[in-house]
Amino acid sequence: MFLPSRAFAIAFALVSSALSFTCFATQKSAHQIESLLLTHPDSSSLCAQLATIYFEDGSIDGRHRAIEAMKQALRLEPGNAAYHVMLGQIFLASTFWHYGVGELEKALEIDPENDAALYLSGKAFLDRALEGWQRKWFLKAERRFAQVPAQSEFYHLACRYRAQALFDGGFTDSALAVMAKIDNDSLQTDDMLMLGMLWWKRKDMKKASDWFMRAIDKMDQLKRERYLSIDLIASDTYWEQLGSQDSVDSNKRFDLFWRRHDPDPATPINERLVEHIARVAFADFHFSIPRLNKPGSKTTRGEVLIRYGLPLKWSYDPFGTGLVADETVMPQESDLGRSLAHNILSDYDPGDRYRSRPMRVSKPVWTWQYPNFTLNFEDAFLNGDFSFPYERDWSAYVYAYLKKHIPEIYESQIRKHINVVIDALACLDEKGHEALKIIWAADTRGITYEENMRWPRGGFEIHLAVLDSVYNSVTRESFEEELCADSSAIYLTQYPLISAHTINIPEGSYIAAVSLTSLSNGAVGHASVPTRICKMSDRFSLSDIELRFRENGPPNPSHTFLRNSKVYVAFEIYNLTPDSSRVYGATITYDVKRKAKPASLLYKLLDRLKLASAEQAITAFSGSYRTFSTCPRTEVVLGIDVSELLGGDYVIEVSASDLSSGLKATASTPMTIASGIDQ
């Protein structure tokens, strides 16, 4: 980014210690200084002052006049390093890159420790690197920024840009070490965004989220809305559900959207929001066009990046001739690119015309390759603003299709994924208060196997959360626990690592979520499920049904069982009424029904009219018996033989009738019998 006022102030301070840049810029006009030059034609300082005023005019003619004035100053005093710095800066701001760098190099030949020349030349090298993403220019920029002394006013900016050069060159750890040199009390918004990007690249979502949120808090309202904007990634369905954009407060839109799209609601971090902010920050750092006052997230490349992330591969053709620049590097490791390998255009084939159509535009072209589609960007006006070449390429039409059918792509960047299932059961705790029993199970991907390990076991960091119906957090708990596969479940399910936790919570509708992080290999998994708690403490009622592998064995939150096995249905009965002998009794009936869709057109029509369901449950078998207890609360465990059932989806319905009061209560739960293929 070009910073004329600050750089000129420092450079001009080297020219004269008596008069500052601000003094000349405000008290003398160009006409006055030109008049002084008529009487003092050999004054190089007056030429430098005149160049400063011409340059701040901002017009093309003003910049040409500024260049001529600085050249005259250098003819009068060729050994003045500050004058070379000022001329170099004017050249760079006027897009004469080679001339600008040449003047800065001359300044360094005269004064090798000139901090302004070191900083400005490093920034010029970084800008050149971002044009074609070539490693050699990143390395040149990094070396030049590293030479800026710590006492320089440019040191803070030099550290940030040096970290960016290292980030883009693939040296994340070195970039973090450079950012650590900046005093925490002087960190600015862009510094925090850079730190967030570095930790995001390291896949440490917690630290990335901390820095991004600190940056968001310090932003002004317009910038904050740009970073949290959902206009590019929210689907049309979401807007239809939410209503008109204009009629809904922006903060409410942001908050509700991000809560709904949190991939792991059990953790306090919204990984999808972190990914989104990282994409916006990446676009702003790399695609911004200062001369057009256009942030990178508002460019065409920035829009594509925010929607679909980084491409698998990209290439730069500086002349539009089909010859790709050498040493073009990707900003992220290759595994991040592979993680975006989605088959997102399986139903759309633009044909060979699009895939092989040559680009011959004689202008700079960027090509981004995603799985199953490629986008080309052309710098039509040679101002750094790359957009789709509508008349010579299919990219604009492919992108229009993508926007309509696929609003955005997101894949959590994790080293290893654990498959997790969850079940949430409404019940009463030991004190008789409404509670939620959360049961979760995981596969063994989070286990690091040791020699002579009989049963899979491993330590996990566990996050539990209960959210309300609009995803506000009701309660959160975190703890570490060792999970070990039960011998009765290890051969019966692909989720043998099972545990449970009970949380007191009042009646209402909720979403239960769990997140597991392996302490041995860092694998991560999460799951969530909606649930509802009804009033049970003061009325005859049943808890939700828990399915088990054996009578006193572990629960099965996946609700999937193998054929030729036995299912144990466990639940509690609350607030039974005693008879005259102080005995509590109830009649239990149960039905196992298979879900099936009849072929009848009438049922399909009634289903559309919401008069009947096209899914009819067909009873497979049923049974009943009586239970007696000496207390008003009792647990019931039913063993059901499912060996005769065919593979498919079932519903278990249980009904209890109090023998003394005649009150009734019901509960139901889904169950799946795996087919032979699943086994």
Side-chain angles (χ1 to χ4, degrees), residues 566-631:
K566 199 167 186 178
V567 176
Y568 289 87
V569 180
F571 57 92
E572 288 187 312
I573 306 176
Y574 304 124
N575 300 309
L576 287 165
T577 303
D579 60 13
S580 58
S581 303
R582 304 299 297 173
V583 175
Y584 302 85
T587 300
I588 308 296
T589 60
Y590 64 88
D591 296 284
V592 179
K593 300 180 179 180
R594 178 171 182 172
K595 292 182 179 180
K597 282 195 174 184
S600 170
L601 294 177
L602 175 61
Y603 270 104
K604 293 182 180 179
L605 177 61
L606 294 176
D607 185 33
R608 289 185 179 182
L609 297 175
K610 307 299 181 183
L611 297 178
S613 174
E615 286 194 10
Q616 272 196 328
I618 301 174
T619 301
F621 59 83
S622 60
S624 65
Y625 82 106
R626 288 187 175 184
T627 181
F628 296 94
S629 172
T630 58
C631 60

Side-chain angles (χ1 to χ4, degrees), residues 528-566:
S528 61
V529 64
T531 187
R532 177 170 178 78
I533 299 178
C534 298
K535 191 68 173 177
M536 295 179 287
S537 58
D538 59 355
R539 66 188 65 179
F540 179 73
S541 57
L542 299 183
S543 70
D544 285 342
I545 297 173
E546 176 184 303
L547 300 183
R548 299 177 182 173
F549 293 104
R550 54 187 172 87
E551 184 174 359
N552 296 314
N556 180 7
S558 70
H559 290 219
T560 299
F561 294 84
L562 302 179
R563 292 182 63 186
N564 303 318
S565 64
K566 199 167 186 178

Side-chain angles (χ1 to χ4, degrees), residues 345-357:
L345 277 181
S346 58
D347 59 341
Y348 176 69
D349 184 2
D352 293 335
R353 280 189 310 171
Y354 160 65
R355 290 196 182 93
S356 61
R357 188 162 184 166

